């Protein structure tokens, strides 16, 4: 009840973020139900059904990441003076945040179920002249237990992840003195994963091997090539905080002035918080670049299909929304610093210029790196 009251009493912008989480959960739930419908309609194609279910793991992970980011920026569960006296300590607020996430995700799963049943014709007859009947196996009954299990997966995963991310002792704390002078430890691991992934792709492309029935021109691609592609994307996401930290050091190089020094120090401090979502967005964009390169290199007009497009759209939207939410969280964390600078007489234009510098250097570094990784990842598939 407390979680519902906090949900009702928050600002419209916060409600909008929760509705976006519900919409993303609805999209993932619909994908899972469509995978179930394919398995029911094609009982002789178990490997293809398992591959479709595996494809749903990527949109599910992106949705869970977005749900956690929204829970972290929820003002209703932020510790405030006096709340512990009425029994709302850090542990209770974490439970409230997890409950709010569960409410939003459960709403999304319910919407997905209603949409799936409507398109199957189980509620008011077949819509769109039965265009989706074959895709959703409308001529066969829905396994109720399997459908409810799949629909419970996104809320359970998002709620668990939010509770673990916000539990007492796990929230972000100020870095100790001097810690900002080193590279985050994820940078060498990320570079190593990118190198291993590219090497695995090249080796598997030369040796050939069995392929996976993927959509479009990826059909028949060697398994090792696709595994190397995944390693490359994970490496780029892992290296995100280190790259952001390096961008902060780059801003402070060569006799910086007050604005560059402020922008660089803030970026170095925010690297652990904003670098990971930025790296994930870079990994997604590199995958899109590689997919577009492969798709444009061959003859024919093979399409990816509506469900593959829906999954890709969910990944792009959720990762981008997570990055924007992480930027909002960073702004909330440095609110006191901003107020102190304004009280000391710093012009607001200085703060805006520093923010533009941070955004500009991140784009100037991440875009070429993303393009290079995506192009290199596509070479074994196009060759």
């Amino acid at each position: 009840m407390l979680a519902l009251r906090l949900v009702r009493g928050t600002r419209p912008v916060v409600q909008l973020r929760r509705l976006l989480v519900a919409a993303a959960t609805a999209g993932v739930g619909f994908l899972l139900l469509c995978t179930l419908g394919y398995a029911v309609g094609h009982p002789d194609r178990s490997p293809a059904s398992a591959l479709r279910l595996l494809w749903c793991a990527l949109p599910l992970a992106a949705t869970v990441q977005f749900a956690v980011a929204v829970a972290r920026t929820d003002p209703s569960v932020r510790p405030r003076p006096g709340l512990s006296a009425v029994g709302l300590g850090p542990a209770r607020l974490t439970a409230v945040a997890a409950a709010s996430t569960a409410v939003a995700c459960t709403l999304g799963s319910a919407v997905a179920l209603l949409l799936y049943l409507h398109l199957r014709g189980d509620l008011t007859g077949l819509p769109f002249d039965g265009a989706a009947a074959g895709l959703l196996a409308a001529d066969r009954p829905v396994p109720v237990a399997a459908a409810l299990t799949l629909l419970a997966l996104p809320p359970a995963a998002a709620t668990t992840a939010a509770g673990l991310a916000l539990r007492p002792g796990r929230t972000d704390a100020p870095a100790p003195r001097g810690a900002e002078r080193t590279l985050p430890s994820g940078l060498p691991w990320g570079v190593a994963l990118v190198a291993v992934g590219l090497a695995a792709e090249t080796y598997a492309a030369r040796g050939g091997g069995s392929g996976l029935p993927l959509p479009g021109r990826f059909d028949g691609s060697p398994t090792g090539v696709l595994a190397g592609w995944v390693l490359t994307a994970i490496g780029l996401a892992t290296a995100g905080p280190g790259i952001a930290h390096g961008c902060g050091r780059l801003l402070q190089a060569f006799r910086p002035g007050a604005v560059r020094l402020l922008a660089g120090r803030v970026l170095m401090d925010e690297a652990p918080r904003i670098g990971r979502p930025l790296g994930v967005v870079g990994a997604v964009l590199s995958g899109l670049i590689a997919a577009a390169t492969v798709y444009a290199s061959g003859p024919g007009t093979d399409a990816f299909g509506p469900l593959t497009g829906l999954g890709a759209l969910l990944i792009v939207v959720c990762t981008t929304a997570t990055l924007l939410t992480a930027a909002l969280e960073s702004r909330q964390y440095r609110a006191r610093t901003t107020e102190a600078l304004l009280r000391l007489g710093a012009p607001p234009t200085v703060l805006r210029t520093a923010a533009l510098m941070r955004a500009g250097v991140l784009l100037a570094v991440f875009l070429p790196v993303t393009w290079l990784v995506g192009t290199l990842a596509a070479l074994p598939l196009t060759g």
Side-chain angles (χ1 to χ4, degrees):
M1 291 300 297
L2 177 60
L4 290 176
R5 290 181 180 179
L6 290 175
V7 166
R8 290 171 51 193
T10 51
R11 295 176 299 176
V13 177
V14 180
Q15 299 283 23
L16 177 61
R17 291 200 294 265
R18 289 170 178 161
L19 288 178
L20 289 178
V21 171
T25 307
V28 173
F30 184 74
L31 282 177
L32 292 171
L33 291 178
C34 289
T35 302
L36 177 62
Y38 182 86
V40 171
H42 304 83
D44 55 334
R45 301 180 184 178
S46 298
S49 301
L51 188 63
R52 286 171 176 253
L53 186 61
L54 183 63
W55 162 244
C56 293
L58 296 178
L60 175 61
T63 301
V64 169
Q65 184 192 25
F66 178 45
V68 172
V70 170
R72 290 170 65 94
T73 58
D74 195 337
S76 62
V77 297
R78 192 179 307 156
R80 292 186 294 272
L83 289 182
S84 298
V86 295
L88 291 177
R92 186 71 180 276
L93 289 178
T94 300
V96 171
S100 300
T101 304
V103 169
C105 294
T106 303
L107 175 62
S109 294
V111 172
L113 179 60
L114 292 177
L115 178 62
Y116 181 75
L117 294 178
H118 174 66
L119 292 179
R120 278 175 49 91
D122 295 334
L123 298 180
T124 58
L126 282 173
F128 307 113
D129 296 330
L135 182 64
L136 306 180
D139 57 337
R140 296 175 180 266
V142 179
V144 179
L148 293 180
T149 301
L150 290 177
L151 287 177
L153 184 59
T159 303
T160 303
L164 292 176
L166 297 175
R167 72 182 187 271
R170 180 58 193 267
T171 54
D172 292 337
R177 186 181 300 274
E180 68 275 3
R181 297 171 185 169
T182 59
L183 288 168
S185 59
L187 181 58
W189 288 105
V191 174
L193 284 175
V194 170
V196 170
L198 293 176
E201 286 186 63
T202 304
Y203 179 80
R206 291 179 178 178
S210 59
L212 294 176
L214 295 179
R217 297 193 176 93
F218 298 99
D219 189 14
S221 299
T223 307
V225 172
L226 301 173
W229 195 0
V230 172
L231 282 178
T232 302
I234 295 176
L236 185 56
T238 304
I243 297 177
H245 191 274
C247 291
R249 295 184 66 91
L250 180 63
L251 276 175
Q252 302 175 75
F254 308 110
R255 297 181 179 179
V259 179
R260 280 204 294 138
L261 186 62
L262 175 63
R265 298 295 290 184
V266 170
L267 187 55
M268 291 173 63
D269 183 64
E270 293 178 352
R273 189 177 299 113
I274 201 174
R276 187 60 54 82
L278 191 59
V280 171
V281 171
V284 171
L285 291 179
S286 68
L288 292 178
I289 291 173
T293 303
V294 173
Y295 189 76
S297 63
T301 59
D302 298 334
F304 283 94
L307 297 183
T308 305
L310 176 60
L313 179 63
L314 280 174
I315 293 173
V316 172
V317 172
C318 287
T319 52
T320 304
T322 301
L323 176 60
L324 297 177
T325 307
L328 176 63
E329 181 188 7
S330 299
R331 182 180 179 182
Q332 293 175 353
Y333 269 87
R334 66 173 185 270
R336 293 183 179 179
T337 304
T338 302
E339 293 175 359
L341 289 174
L342 292 175
R343 284 197 304 267
L344 291 174
T349 55
V350 172
L351 301 179
R352 288 194 292 266
T353 304
L356 291 176
M357 281 188 176
R358 292 196 300 271
V361 72
L362 288 175
L363 290 176
V365 173
F366 268 91
L367 288 182
V369 170
T370 300
W371 176 83
L372 179 62
V373 172
T375 303
L376 292 178
L379 286 179
L381 293 176
T382 55

